[in-house]
Amino acid sequence: MTTEELQERIAATSGWIAAVKEEMGRVLVGQEGLVDRLIVGLLCNGHILLEGVPGLAKTLAVKALSGSLDASFARFQFTPDLLPADLLGTMVYNPQEAKFSPKLGPIFNNLILADEINRAPAKVQSALLEAMQEKQVTLADTTYRLPEPFLVLATQNPIDQEGTYQLPEAQLDRFLLKVSVGYPTKGEELEVLDRMATSAPPYRTKTVASPQQVAESRSHVNQIYIDPAVREYIVDLIRATRQPAKIDAGLKHLIRSGASPRGTINLALTARARAFSSGRAFVTPQDVKDMAHDVLRHRILLSYEAEAEDINTDQVLDRILSKVAVP
């Protein structure tokens, strides 16, 4: 397929993105970056972790997305007393047949909202690992495939909030993106006040897209062209997180561990999804830059020196992006 033909197909199949954004805009005020990242997650078939203080519409955004898609949806409120069986299901004994039969849990839905995921203990968080990575659940000695598409959209409050647990590094790496949700601007907050300061329930999104449309778009995302120079740029960025002293001596003592090859793969994939959302059949270096923070934010471990100096991962990534040569 030529670039021109792919460009035409992208234009013909990407219309649902604008429709979903418009429908979500009826519920959300601002948060365009958050909505863009949710769309990227759909296109890449990857899980997303949303982090921010309470009250920033993280849960509302995920509900609005599920409402605009013709897909099954389940919401988990993670609490310290939650058990793995509450998510995955369990084996139930049938006395008439004198045997055990599976009772599948609510995780067998297309979109899963794991609300405040860091309020559950490690055993519950770990129960999601197989589901998130392998798209399957094992009960007793039988493995059950999860429906397609299957996305976990998790929210968490900052770790220093009371009653939270640190997410395991293995689980963090399963998330395609970690999106930091910030406060609205003054104008946006005034609009939030006008819309939401009422006892009436907020507007609910209506279905404007289907999983079939998303699946068709994914096939085109995988064909989007990445120039060799852009591919090398992606690898250079990842390698800079592992050997930061080669680009900036001041970064050497700030990074304890860099991104894995999974970060390389996900940065290229999300850059393709970003290009598709923009209606292009090729990836630009700006696509890579736009996605770098969300893809790498949770894949870099900072040193104790960085924490002592009150330096966060985003600041380190800013320095890396400013030092690595752009093609």
Side-chain angles (χ1 to χ4, degrees), residues 45-303:
N45 199 21
H47 313 294
I48 300 177
L49 178 63
L50 308 177
E51 183 178 77
V53 299
L56 295 181
K58 301 184 296 296
T59 303
L60 181 62
V62 176
K63 283 185 175 181
L65 176 64
S66 67
S68 62
L69 295 172
D70 184 18
S72 60
F73 170 74
R75 177 183 182 272
F76 299 125
Q77 182 63 53
F78 277 57
T79 57
D81 61 346
L82 198 67
L83 298 174
D86 296 330
L87 279 65
L88 309 181
T90 187
M91 301 299 292
V92 177
Y93 182 71
N94 187 332
Q96 281 85 18
E97 301 179 6
K99 67 178 183 179
F100 286 90
S101 59
K103 181 181 180 182
L104 302 182
I107 200 171
F108 286 85
N109 283 280
N110 298 119
L111 294 179
I112 303 298
L113 171 56
D115 210 2
E116 297 189 287
I117 189 173
N118 60 331
R119 294 197 179 276
K123 64 180 179 180
V124 177
Q125 296 171 4
S126 298
L128 284 174
L129 289 179
E130 181 185 17
M132 293 173 65
Q133 184 64 25
E134 307 297 335
K135 306 296 177 70
Q136 64 185 30
V137 167
T138 301
L139 299 177
D141 57 352
T142 306
T143 298
Y144 302 90
R145 297 294 302 176
L146 290 165
E148 183 65 33
F150 173 76
L151 268 72
V152 174
L153 304 171
T155 70
Q156 74 169 12
N157 297 328
I159 296 302
D160 60 351
Q161 297 287 316
E162 183 178 355
T164 60
Y165 299 81
Q166 179 75 45
L167 290 180
E169 297 298 336
Q171 184 174 356
L172 275 176
D173 201 46
R174 260 66 172 187
F175 286 102
L176 174 75
L177 304 173
K178 181 182 179 183
V179 181
S180 181
V181 184
Y183 289 108
T185 64
K186 181 178 179 179
E188 291 170 348
E189 196 151 6
L190 284 170
E191 188 174 347
V192 169
L193 190 153
D194 292 338
R195 285 197 196 183
M196 301 298 183
T198 172
S199 59
Y203 175 86
R204 293 187 178 182
T205 52
K206 61 183 179 181
T207 301
V208 294
S210 68
Q212 290 73 26
Q213 289 176 289
V214 176
E216 184 179 5
S217 295
R218 285 176 184 166
S219 65
H220 297 324
V221 168
N222 295 333
Q223 300 176 56
I224 287 179
Y225 177 71
I226 303 181
D227 188 82
V230 178
R231 292 169 63 245
E232 188 169 344
Y233 177 55
I234 292 172
V235 173
D236 286 344
L237 285 175
I238 300 298
R239 294 182 65 83
T241 68
R242 304 171 192 163
Q243 300 171 321
K246 289 189 175 181
I247 61 167
D248 186 343
L251 288 172
K252 181 178 180 179
H253 69 286
L254 299 180
I255 299 178
R256 180 156 47 102
S257 177
S260 70
R262 184 178 283 164
T264 311
I265 295 168
N266 288 341
L267 186 54
L269 179 59
T270 55
R272 276 179 162 149
R274 182 74 172 164
F276 181 91
S277 299
S278 302
R280 282 183 280 103
F282 57 91
V283 171
T284 67
Q286 189 59 47
D287 293 324
V288 178
K289 283 188 171 185
D290 287 345
M291 300 309 307
H293 285 79
D294 296 311
V295 171
L296 301 178
R297 182 178 287 124
H298 54 303
R299 304 182 195 278
I300 296 176
L301 298 181
L302 298 185
S303 65

Side-chain angles (χ1 to χ4, degrees), residues 8-21:
E8 292 176 0
R9 294 196 179 187
I10 290 174
T13 59
S14 62
W16 65 269
I17 295 178
V20 168
K21 286 184 177 181

